[in-house]
Amino acid sequence: MASIFSRIVAGEIPCYKVAEDDNYFAFLDIAPVAPGHTLVIPKKEVDYIFDLTDEEYLGLMTFARKVAAALQKSMPCKRIGVAVMGMEVPHTHVHLVPINKESDMNFFRDKLSLPAEEMAAIAKKISENF
């Protein structure tokens, strides 16, 4: 059965898309730890990041770097934090989080619930800077 992320890529589940190319896809996390929290995934469903081929891994990280640059231009922050945990969805994903201090990347605190209009505006702004 396809992961929820594969279903997002296929257009079966809506998302706030930020960027896409032939092999990779970026979209806003629907339960962000900070406004602009973005997930970057390979379109090919692979559960564990270190099971990607070298080429796929480097491609994912290169794409994530481009998304991070757009995110940095779009959201007020000092840096873009990066995390790969990959336990909640069996599909490799990189978290990009706008941060001003390290504690901004606390994935165990209550997540934000942003209105759809704000999510759409954030996705549009990042997309325009991609």
Side-chain angles (χ1 to χ4, degrees), residues 4 10 19 21 41 43 63-65 69 93 101 107 119-120 125:
I4 190 169
D21 70 10
I41 65 170
K43 288 183 176 179
F63 186 78
R65 181 190 210 169
H93 53 288
K101 56 191 181 305
F107 287 86
M119 293 286 281
K125 188 172 187 179

Side-chain angles (χ1 to χ4, degrees), residues 62-75 77 80 96 126 129-130:
T62 299
F63 186 78
R65 181 190 210 169
K66 292 176 187 175
V67 174
L71 189 53
Q72 179 100 39
K73 290 177 189 173
S74 304
M75 303 301 296
C77 63
I80 302 300
L96 300 178
I126 299 167
N129 282 304
F130 183 72

Side-chain angles (χ1 to χ4, degrees), residues 6-116:
S6 290
R7 294 181 64 207
I8 288 170
V9 171
E12 296 172 15
I13 297 174
C15 73
Y16 297 99
K17 182 170 69 169
V18 169
E20 176 180 20
D21 70 10
D22 291 341
N23 300 305
Y24 306 99
F25 196 89
F27 55 99
L28 295 182
D29 191 311
I30 60 167
V33 297
H37 179 173
T38 301
L39 300 177
V40 181
I41 65 170
K43 288 183 176 179
K44 176 182 174 185
E45 187 173 316
V46 174
D47 180 14
Y48 184 46
I49 192 168
F50 296 121
D51 287 339
L52 294 170
T53 67
D54 289 348
E55 182 181 347
E56 291 165 341
Y57 177 83
L58 293 172
L60 175 65
M61 297 313 284
T62 299
F63 186 78
R65 181 190 210 169
K66 292 176 187 175
V67 174
L71 189 53
Q72 179 100 39
K73 290 177 189 173
S74 304
M75 303 301 296
C77 63
K78 289 184 180 177
R79 294 201 175 173
I80 302 300
V82 179
V84 178
M85 296 180 290
M87 301 295 285
E88 60 279 1
V89 176
H91 190 134
T92 295
H93 53 288
V94 176
H95 294 262
L96 300 178
V97 181
I99 61 172
N100 289 301
K101 56 191 181 305
E102 289 179 358
S103 60
D104 290 343
M105 283 198 61
N106 181 351
F107 287 86
F108 302 104
R109 69 174 181 230
D110 290 339
K111 305 295 189 285
L112 301 177
S113 179
L114 303 175

